[in-house]
């Protein structure tokens, strides 16, 4: 491969992505860049130790400075990179990638940012840059598995997805542990979800439509409810092609009531309010108070779940295609289930970009790789995707 891989953001998901790029990629050098050199060094040392070769190099880079990022990408001849920083940096990084004709994936999660990225597709195509936003676990792997479910039907009509990342050993009071940025977490609970209902893209408020979904022991019953940012591009791509497309986040029982209290207190709002003569963002206060209580330790065991039901016709008969993935932390590498699902999905798409398998432009996940190809790539990484085709009933 001509050029090198890079990961911008040397946190937990970025380190997992760099490991995958080093394990499966064709580049002899991967740059792990972060504004904190100590963090970049620590991540590079871990990747090199796990792979048994000096392939990862640390670098200092500030994602808040797109012109500096552009210069850095050119200087280091980066062919494709993963943005593993919070979603609000992704639009600037997209512009930097376009300016130097570089490939890019990111961990997405914010519909407004992703829609703004999609609007830059003509400029990306003109520069030869390929950008695949909204990678990661969900969106990302969930979208790829939706594509896989759709491929099982001749005439798909409805798709429903349930997903989560949860501690394997939940502890009160939250029964939840955070394995990614707190900004990404609270972003899911604020604003609207993009769904398809009645064949049209619609906006549905987050933290609504509670239901209970059963899973095999020891997981058991989980709550499911609407959250923002889990579908975005798919809700646009499949409008007019599907009657229904929606996803819900799964949590241990009792979580929904806790989140509704946080929402109703206004603590999810990013808009500053005045307190004692100072302007304060309620969401930043929530981050400061909540993150220390829910931040997962590096050695905590977790699990991810993605369940998809696709309804439609196969050989003219009503058919249900069920896709299930339950995946746990990897004790060999030390990567959590969330780190694998998030970082490795982004890396898979970054490999595809570098190998010329994705056309130039800003390309949604569901158009960047077939579901069957993704499942084959996932299997190489230990993800066991279960497929169950059953006789169905006519979609509503």
């Amino acid at each position: 491969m001509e050029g090198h891989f890079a990961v911008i953001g040397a946190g937990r998901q970025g380190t997992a992505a760099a490991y995958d790029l080093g394990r499966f990629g064709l580049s002899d050098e991967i740059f792990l860049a972060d504004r904190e050199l100590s963090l970049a060094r620590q991540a590079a040392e871990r990747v090199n130790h796990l792979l048994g070769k000096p392939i990862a190099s640390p670098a200092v880079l500030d994602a808040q400075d797109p012109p500096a990022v552009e210069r850095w990408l050119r200087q280091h001849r980066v062919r494709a990179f993963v943005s593993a920083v919070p979603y609000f940096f992704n639009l600037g990084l997209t512009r930097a990638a376009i300016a130097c004709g570089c490939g890019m994936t990111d961990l997405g999660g914010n519909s407004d940012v992703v829609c703004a990225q999609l609007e830059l597709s003509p400029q990306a195509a003109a520069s030869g840059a390929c950008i695949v936003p909204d990678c990661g676990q969900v969106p990302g792997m969930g979208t790829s598995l939706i594509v896989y479910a759709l491929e099982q039907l001749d005439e798909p009509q409805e798709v429903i997805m349930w997903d989560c990342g949860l501690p394997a050993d939940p502890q009160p009071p939250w029964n939840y542990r955070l394995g990614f940025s707190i900004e990404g977490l609270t972003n899911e609970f604020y604003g609207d979800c993009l769904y398809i209902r009645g064949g049209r893209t619609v906006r549905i408020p987050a933290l609504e439509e509670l239901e209970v979904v059963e899973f095999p022991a020891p997981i058991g019953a989980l709550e499911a409810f609407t959250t923002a940012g889990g579908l975005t591009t798919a809700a646009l791509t499949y409008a007019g092609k599907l009657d229904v497309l929606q996803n819900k986040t799964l949590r241990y029982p009792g979580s929904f009531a806790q989140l509704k209290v946080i929402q109703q207190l206004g603590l999810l709002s990013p808009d500053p309010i005045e307190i004692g003569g100072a302007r304060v963002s309620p969401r930043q206060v929530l981050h400061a108070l909540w993150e220390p209580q829910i931040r997962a330790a590096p050695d905590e065991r977790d699990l991810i779940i993605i369940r998809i039901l696709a309804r439609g016709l196969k050989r003219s008969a009503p058919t249900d295609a069920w896709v299930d993935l339950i995946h746990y932390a990897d004790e060999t590498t030390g990567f959590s289930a969330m780190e694998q699902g998030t970082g490795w999905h982004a890396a898979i798409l970054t490999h595809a970009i570098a190998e010329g398998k994705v056309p130039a432009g800003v390309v949604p996940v569901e158009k960047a790789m077939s579901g069957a190809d993704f499942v084959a790539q996932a299997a190489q990484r230990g993800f066991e995707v279960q497929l169950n085709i059953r006789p169905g009933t006519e979609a509503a």
Side-chain angles (χ1 to χ4, degrees):
M1 183 189 81
E2 183 179 349
H4 303 295
F5 285 127
V7 176
I8 299 177
R12 298 176 65 158
Q13 324 303 328
T15 305
Y19 167 81
D20 190 280
L21 293 173
R23 182 183 177 196
F24 293 98
L26 302 176
S27 175
D28 59 359
E29 186 168 19
I30 300 164
F31 295 101
L32 261 163
D34 199 279
R35 65 181 180 182
E36 297 182 25
L37 181 58
S38 61
L39 188 61
R41 281 178 175 160
Q42 181 180 7
E45 288 171 1
R46 181 182 179 192
V47 170
N48 291 337
H49 173 73
L50 288 172
L51 294 175
K53 57 183 177 180
I55 191 171
S57 300
V60 175
L61 187 65
D62 189 349
Q64 297 182 88
D65 188 351
V69 173
E70 178 189 341
R71 293 191 296 271
W72 185 86
L73 293 171
R74 292 183 188 276
Q75 175 187 352
H76 294 281
R77 297 175 49 249
V78 173
R79 174 69 183 87
F81 72 92
V82 177
S83 166
V85 292
Y87 67 87
F88 41 79
F89 294 120
N90 286 334
L91 188 57
L93 293 179
T94 298
R95 293 193 175 103
I98 291 172
C100 56
C102 182
M104 170 184 161
T105 62
D106 66 48
L107 307 183
N110 182 278
S111 297
D112 292 337
V113 171
V114 174
C115 288
Q117 290 173 282
L118 291 173
E119 292 177 358
L120 297 176
S121 188
Q123 295 95 310
S127 76
C130 175
I131 318 292
V132 181
D134 252 6
C135 296
Q137 183 194 327
V138 173
M141 184 182 290
T143 303
S144 295
L145 293 179
I146 284 174
V147 175
Y148 182 60
L150 292 174
E151 291 169 356
Q152 312 308 313
L153 303 174
D154 299 327
E155 298 178 42
Q157 297 164 348
E158 297 184 356
V159 178
I160 303 169
M161 177 169 67
W162 300 267
D163 70 272
C164 66
L166 292 172
D169 180 23
Q171 297 296 316
W174 302 109
N175 294 314
Y176 179 77
R177 304 300 281 170
L178 179 65
F180 57 105
S181 74
I182 186 71
E183 292 87 357
L185 177 67
T186 53
N187 169 68
E188 296 176 4
F189 306 140
Y190 184 78
D192 293 334
C193 322
L194 289 182
Y195 286 178
I196 295 174
R197 290 184 175 171
R200 299 183 298 108
T201 303
V202 297
R203 289 183 173 269
I204 303 296
L207 297 181
E208 300 291 343
E209 302 185 13
L210 175 66
E211 63 175 321
V212 176
V213 183
E214 293 287 342
F215 289 89
I219 298 170
L222 298 177
E223 295 179 341
F225 45 85
T226 61
T227 53
L231 290 173
T232 304
T233 61
L236 303 173
T237 296
Y238 294 118
K241 302 173 184 176
L242 291 172
D243 297 328
V244 173
L245 174 64
Q246 67 181 49
N247 80 295
K248 290 185 178 182
T249 291
L250 300 161
R251 288 288 186 268
Y252 288 113
S255 299
F256 181 75
Q258 293 174 329
L259 293 170
K260 288 299 289 186
V261 170
I262 290 172
Q263 179 195 56
Q264 291 166 357
L265 284 171
L267 289 171
L268 294 169
S269 174
D271 300 326
I273 60 175
E274 187 166 330
I275 301 177
R279 301 284 289 172
V280 179
S281 164
R283 187 182 294 190
Q284 292 302 315
V285 173
L286 176 63
H287 290 176
L289 294 173
W290 200 23
E291 181 173 15
Q293 298 185 43
I294 61 173
R295 172 59 63 188
D299 59 349
E300 286 191 69
R301 195 162 184 263
D302 69 336
L303 64 103
I304 60 173
I305 299 173
I306 299 175
R307 170 174 287 180
I308 295 163
L309 167 60
R311 292 191 176 111
L313 301 178
K314 188 177 182 69
R315 300 186 184 93
S316 301
T319 303
D320 292 348
W322 289 85
V323 175
D324 274 287
L325 172 67
I326 300 177
H327 190 76
Y328 288 85
D330 182 4
E331 296 181 4
T332 302
T333 63
F335 288 120
S336 70
M338 177 69 73
E339 289 164 355
Q340 296 170 64
T342 303
W344 294 359
H345 180 272
I348 288 170
L349 270 297
T350 307
H351 290 300
I353 291 171
E355 294 166 8
K357 296 179 179 179
V358 185
V362 181
V363 183
V365 168
E366 62 272 13
K367 295 182 178 181
M369 178 177 286
S370 73
D373 284 349
F374 171 73
V375 168
Q377 290 290 327
Q380 293 182 32
R381 293 156 172 84
F383 293 106
E384 297 182 5
V385 177
Q386 304 296 320
L387 174 64
N388 194 335
I389 306 296
R390 306 174 188 171
T393 57
E394 291 286 355

